[in-house]
Every structure is written in structure tokens, then in C-alpha cells.
């Protein structure tokens, strides 16, 4: 089947859905210029996760870890949402029940206008006190490091590190959205990072139609209803138009 016809049929599924869940990964943000972690030029080719993204690394040298996160925040402060982010925000405004679940920590969905979003890996713009547990948003760039809470305690990035569990309330909401949706749209994710990748088979088991948008095939491509190949910034605006 030609992709033009696949897009048309996938669009009809979306337009007929009562409840839609969207799972996004690094690919959608890469189109805005956000560095990814995997792949030939990924950040984990340059840095070791255990040196920068674990509780042990932070306990060992919080200033070093914060310098890396401050560098990433500077990069993110210069990028903008792309047409893919915008198409999802428009979909949320038009359709009665859309939940965006993202593995990204960059906040680009919010900048594009998406309101109902579940950040399963947290946000780089959130800070959390290691003493009192307070959490707050701070988009200051450049950020003085290491930052401190009002109580005087050391703050850490509000992201999920290797070896940590996903936030229980956010993850429960993500699972609920996937289990009750009619259509799951999977955008720009490698489908390799668990537990988020496990949401796709959960949706299939619950009877949802699954539509994938990615620049290349992934481990889930052969098992979804429609696997659309290409940049999300090009495919989503066409796929998510208001009429078929």
C-alpha cells in the first residue's frame, strides 16, 4: 500500500476516534535541533550515563552533573517547537479527548500549546530539593550551579535518572490513557526505552489502533496498523488535518 493511502486511512481512524493517546520520543524534538541520546551522534556516545545521569553521580559530584544539565538547558533555550509539535497541539484543541505522553524532558510540547501532557521522564526545567522535596519550575538560563532551595538544601534536576522509578502518578495516568484510547499515535520514539515502550503492546492488547510516525523502522513497526515513514514535522500536519 502506498504511503499516501496509508496516511488517508490512518487519518480516518484518528478523525473517528473518541479518545486518542500520543506517545512521543526524541525523534520529534530532534527535528527542532535537540541532541538525541542514541544513534551515531547521540549524547551517550560522548558522555557515560553513569557519570551524569544517576543518583550516584549526583551524590559524587553535584556541580559536575549540574554543569552538564546547565549546558543542555542553554541548548534547549534556543530551540523552538516544530510543525509536528504544532500539529499535536492543534489536534488537542479540536478533539475532545487527547492525552500526550512524552519521554522528552525539553518542554517543547508545552511551548507549542499542548495542555494535557504527561512527562514520564520529568522535565529539565523542573528543580527538586534533595532535602525538603519541594519542586518548582525554573527556566533561568544560564543557571547558577549548583542551585539551592529556599530551605538551603541542594536542588537536583527534576528528571528521571537511570536506576530511578518513573513518577507513580504520571505513569498511572499514562497507562490509563493508553488502555482507554481508541487510537495510539507513536511519534519519534525508538521503542527501545522501557517501561515507556511497553505502552504500545498494552494499547494493542486493549484493542486500540496504533499508528507510528518515524524516520526509520523500529521494533514495533511490523506490528502496528500503520507505520508512516518520514519526519514528524512533515507527516503530522498532513495526518492530523481537520478533515479527510
Amino acid at each position: 500500500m502506498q504511503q499516501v493511502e496509508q496516511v488517508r486511512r490512518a487519518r480516518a481512524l484518528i478523525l473517528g476516534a473518541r479518545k486518542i493517546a500520543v506517545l512521543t520520543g526524541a525523534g520529534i524534538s530532534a527535528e527542532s535541533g535537540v541532541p538525541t541520546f542514541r544513534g551515531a551522534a547521540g549524547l551517550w556516545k560522548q558522555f557515560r550515563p553513569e557519570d551524569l545521569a544517576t543518583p550516584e553521580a549526583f551524590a559524587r559530584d553535584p556541580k559536575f552533573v549540574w554543569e552538564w544539565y546547565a549546558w543542555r538547558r542553554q541548548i534547549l533555550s534556543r530551540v523552538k517547537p516544530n510543525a509536528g509539535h504544532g500539529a499535536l497541539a492543534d489536534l488537542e484543541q479540536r478533539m475532545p479527548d487527547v492525552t500526550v505522553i512524552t519521554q522528552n524532558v525539553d518542554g517543547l510540547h508545552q511551548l507549542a500549546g499542548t495542555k494535557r501532557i504527561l512527562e514520564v521522564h520529568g522535565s529539565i526545567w523542573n528543580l527538586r530539593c534533595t532535602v525538603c522535596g519541594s519542586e518548582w519550575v525554573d527556566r533561568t538560563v544560564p543557571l547558577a550551579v549548583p542551585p539551592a532551595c529556599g530551605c538551603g538544601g541542594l536542588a537536583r534536576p527534576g528528571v528521571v535518572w537511570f536506576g530511578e522509578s518513573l513518577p507513580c502518578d504520571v505513569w498511572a495516568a499514562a497507562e490509563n490513557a493508553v488502555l482507554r484510547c481508541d487510537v495510539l499515535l507513536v511519534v519519534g520514539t525508538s521503542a527501545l526505552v522501557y517501561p515507556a515502550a511497553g505502552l504500545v503492546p498494552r494499547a494493542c492488547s486493549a484493542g486500540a489502533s496504533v499508528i507510528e510516525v518515524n524516520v526509520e523502522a523500529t521494533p514495533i513497526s511490523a506490528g502496528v496498523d500503520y507505520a508512516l515513514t518520514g519526519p514528524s514535522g512533515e507527516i503530522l500536519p498532513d495526518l492530523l488535518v481537520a478533515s479527510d
Side-chain angles (χ1 to χ4, degrees):
M1 186 190 306
Q2 295 292 324
Q3 180 150 299
V4 171
E5 178 61 16
Q6 286 188 310
V7 169
R8 189 190 69 79
R9 294 188 182 189
R11 185 188 303 125
L13 280 178
I14 292 169
L15 292 174
R18 295 175 298 107
K19 301 178 186 297
I20 299 170
V22 183
L23 174 64
T24 68
I28 189 171
S29 293
E31 294 176 35
S32 288
V34 177
T36 61
F37 285 92
R38 290 168 176 79
L43 288 175
W44 293 144
K45 299 294 183 181
Q46 305 171 51
F47 306 100
R48 297 197 311 163
E50 57 268 31
D51 290 339
L52 295 163
T54 65
E56 294 78 14
F58 189 73
R60 184 169 58 247
D61 195 340
K63 187 173 186 295
F64 177 65
V65 171
W66 259 119
E67 286 172 347
W68 188 66
Y69 277 93
W71 169 70
R72 287 180 59 199
R73 284 164 59 103
Q74 285 189 303
I75 293 173
L76 292 173
S77 71
R78 297 192 291 266
V79 302
K80 304 295 181 186
N82 59 60
H85 294 104
L88 291 173
D90 291 342
L91 178 69
E92 182 189 55
Q93 293 182 1
R94 294 198 324 269
M95 303 294 284
D97 195 331
V98 177
T99 301
V100 174
I101 305 158
T102 189
Q103 298 167 271
N104 301 333
V105 300
D106 50 49
L108 290 178
H109 283 298
Q110 291 92 327
L111 288 180
T114 297
K115 305 297 183 187
R116 188 172 183 177
I117 183 163
L118 300 171
E119 296 174 304
V120 295
H121 293 161
S123 172
I124 200 169
W125 304 110
N126 290 350
L127 276 62
R128 184 164 70 248
C129 181
T130 58
V131 176
C132 72
S134 297
E135 189 163 342
W136 66 98
V137 177
D138 187 338
R139 297 188 69 93
T140 303
V141 174
L143 183 69
V145 297
C149 176
C151 76
L154 176 66
R156 56 159 283 178
V159 299
V160 178
W161 281 329
F162 290 96
E164 295 183 326
S165 299
L166 303 187
C168 293
D169 54 342
V170 176
W171 181 245
E175 287 187 306
N176 181 58
V178 164
L179 291 174
R180 67 187 182 86
C181 73
D182 303 305
V183 173
L184 173 63
L185 181 59
V186 184
V187 182
T189 176
S190 65
L192 294 171
V193 180
Y194 283 82
L199 292 173
V200 179
R202 295 290 299 277
C204 292
S205 298
S209 299
V210 180
I211 302 165
E212 181 187 39
V213 177
N214 208 309
V215 294
E216 59 187 5
T218 72
I220 68 168
S221 298
V224 302
D225 294 271
Y226 298 102
L228 308 177
T229 304
S232 59
E234 296 177 8
I235 292 179
L236 289 182
D238 185 26
L239 177 65
L240 304 180
V241 294
S243 60
D244 194 355

